[in-house]
Structures are given as C-alpha cells and as structure tokens.
Amino acid sequence: MIPATPAALAEALAGVGYLADDGLATAGHLALKLGRPLFLEGDAGVGKTAFAQALASATGAHFVRLQCYEGLDAAQALYDWDFPRQILHLRTVEAAAAAAGDKPDTAALEASLYDRRFLVARPLLQALELSPCVLLVDEIDRADDEFEAFLLEILADAAITIPELGRIAAETPPLTVLTSNRTREVHDALKRRCLYHWVEHPSFAREVAIIRSRLPEVTDRLAADVAGAVQRMRELDLIKSPGVAEALDWTSALAALGARELDPDLAAATLGAVLKYREDAERVKAAAPWRS
C-alpha cells in the first residue's frame, strides 16, 4: 500500500525504525507514486541501503538486494542453470530407461533439462517474480559500464526472455532503489531514467533521534554526546568521515563498556568503532571533538 503523502510515508518509515527527512520522504513517495526508479547518492553510512529496506517493510513489499561489484555479470545478477541437478536428473532418467529396457526420448530428455525447477533465480529475476517488491541495486558505482547498460534494459521492460523458457514479466514492476557512494560517475543514461536524491548526513537532532531509536537502551546523554562528537568529526579533513552507521557502532561499543556519557579517555580508546584509518584517528585525537 502506497502512503498518501510524503508525511505519511515518513510516518510509516518511522514505524519501522527509519527516520527520514522531508526530502528523502518526498523522493520515496514520488518513486512509489510514479513507479520510477530512485537513485540515491551520498557518503557511505548515511542510510541509503537502510532506506530501501525500511521502504519495503513500511509498504509490505518483498525486499530483494543486488550487491554490485566489479565484474558482476548477467548470470550472477539475473539467473543461472543448476548444472549439478541437471546432470543428476539426466543420469536418473537414463538409468530408469536402461532398467526398463527402453531408450530415452532424446528430445523430451533435453527439454526436461531446462525445466523451471532447474533455474536458479538471482536477485533481478527474483524481483520480477515477487510482487510487490522493492529491489535494491546497492553500490551501482562499483559495477562495470556494461552492467549498467544491461540494467537499463531490465528496468525499462520489467521483463526478461530466457531462451529455454520464454518471457518472464513482472506482474507489478518492482520499485528499484539504486545507491551510489560516488566512487565513480554513473552514466547519465541511467540517471535520466531515475528520480534523484542526494542523502545528506542528518542534523544533530535527527542523529540523536536515530541513535535513541536504534539503541533505546543507551542514555539520552550518551546519544547526544556521540552525535555531537560525530558531527564535529565531519567538519575535520578526514579521509573517511563517519556516517550514521559508524555513529551507531560507536554508541554500541561505548554502551557495551558501560558508558553513560562520552568520557574523553573512553572515547579515545574506542575510536576504532567509528574511524577506520590511522590518520583519521590521530587527527581526531588531536582535535578531541568530544571536549567541545
């Protein structure tokens, strides 16, 4: 069910634990209403992947995720044949025919090898067969140009043709959410077919609310201290600024050590939960953003 307004969608997302700002809620609402793919760009850890998951939960749709990487091809993203089961089937039929003293029908045997039960559905085919569905194409910027072109065709038709089986079309085209960390520029041809939204880091108040929502066991003081420190870290010249995901990891680590507020010594000792580069850790220790 599609929420009637962006505000209604934001409320539905909040109900499943995702606090979207007005811009992201509007982009998601339009994607649902218009049936257009939604292209989300932003720094790693700002909640792009979590938004797609929450969107599926909030609308009662199936969720399918395709994680992109260099070298991803159609067989890995769309479908493949289960060759071991096909061979086992072939040997079983031949053995049964031999036991009965018959000669197997070659044409019928060959046709039976390409039955739907031997087809392994990868994420894109799963998204076409499940309805309704939210399809997450995660980190499309990590895939190759050739895969982008292939994806365009699938998104345009919401259908594929399998030579041995024929055409498989989606009963309801999946809502596709594509994410990018902008490690490279995605081609304009793909972007033009999508609604676009840049996902910003949350404001201080929203980040505190996110931490409290995801980690209700932590104190208000610790949530505010972590959010404030992370916000100030993002103002530093870091190799990798921490996202919301890192803020949650840091809060979890501190809470696991019994912290009720952000103690400077404990903060410095647990930086590995929020920063992943030695240079960043040294820069943050020198700046001591938890003292501000």
Side-chain angles (χ1 to χ4, degrees):
M1 180 177 177
I2 300 175
T5 65
L9 177 59
E11 185 178 347
L13 291 170
V16 294
Y18 189 95
L19 304 182
D21 61 25
D22 292 342
L24 184 55
T26 300
H29 175 71
L30 288 174
L32 288 167
K33 199 81 171 178
L34 302 176
R36 294 279 301 279
L38 177 59
F39 191 96
L40 300 179
E41 275 193 325
D43 295 332
V46 294
K48 302 184 297 295
T49 298
F51 173 77
Q53 295 170 325
L55 192 61
S57 297
T59 58
H62 299 280
F63 177 72
V64 175
R65 177 177 179 174
L66 172 62
Q67 179 62 52
C68 297
Y69 53 87
E70 186 177 352
L72 177 65
D73 60 23
Q76 295 157 323
L78 192 52
Y79 72 89
D80 204 354
W81 290 103
D82 191 340
F83 294 116
R85 287 189 64 205
Q86 287 175 310
I87 292 173
L88 181 61
H89 171 72
L90 176 64
R91 290 176 176 171
T92 300
V93 172
E94 288 178 338
D102 297 329
K103 184 177 181 181
D105 184 333
T106 303
L109 180 57
E110 182 178 344
S112 71
L113 287 175
Y114 292 97
D115 187 81
R116 179 64 181 82
R117 59 185 164 148
F118 298 125
L119 188 70
V120 180
R122 305 298 187 194
L124 292 182
L125 180 55
Q126 291 173 22
L128 294 178
E129 293 186 317
L130 295 172
S131 180
C133 178
V134 172
L135 168 65
L136 170 63
V137 182
D138 212 8
E139 298 184 327
I140 184 64
D141 52 321
R142 296 185 180 276
D144 301 325
D145 293 349
E146 293 79 5
F147 183 76
E148 274 189 46
F150 164 74
L151 187 62
L152 278 174
E153 183 180 352
I154 300 296
L155 293 180
D157 297 339
I160 63 160
T161 298
I162 299 175
E164 299 86 356
L165 293 180
R167 190 172 187 267
I168 297 178
E171 180 181 333
T172 301
L175 173 64
T176 305
V177 178
L178 303 99
T179 73
S180 168
N181 296 334
R182 215 169 187 179
T183 58
R184 70 169 177 87
E185 285 296 330
V186 175
H187 285 206
D188 288 343
L190 182 60
K191 282 188 173 182
R192 282 199 308 269
R193 287 162 173 77
C194 304
L195 299 174
Y196 176 87
H197 184 75
W198 176 269
V199 183
E200 300 278 2
H201 288 289
S203 65
F204 169 74
R206 186 174 297 278
E207 191 147 24
V208 172
I210 292 170
I211 293 172
R212 294 292 294 120
S213 173
R214 293 295 186 91
L215 302 170
E217 70 277 8
V218 306
T219 65
D220 291 341
R221 174 65 185 275
L222 181 60
D225 285 351
V226 168
V230 169
Q231 295 269 327
R232 288 185 286 272
M233 285 182 192
R234 292 176 187 141
E235 298 172 357
L236 302 175
D237 184 22
L238 301 181
I239 297 172
K240 169 62 177 68
S241 292
V244 178
E246 287 75 26
L248 290 168
D249 287 345
W250 196 20
T251 307
S252 295
L254 290 163
L257 295 174
R260 299 183 62 81
E261 61 183 35
L262 192 56
D263 173 81
D265 292 335
L266 199 56
T270 54
L271 280 179
V274 67
L275 301 171
K276 309 303 177 183
Y277 291 90
R278 179 177 61 84
E279 296 86 347
D280 286 350
E282 291 176 351
R283 190 170 289 115
V284 166
K285 285 179 182 178
W290 41 83
R291 299 182 192 275
S292 302

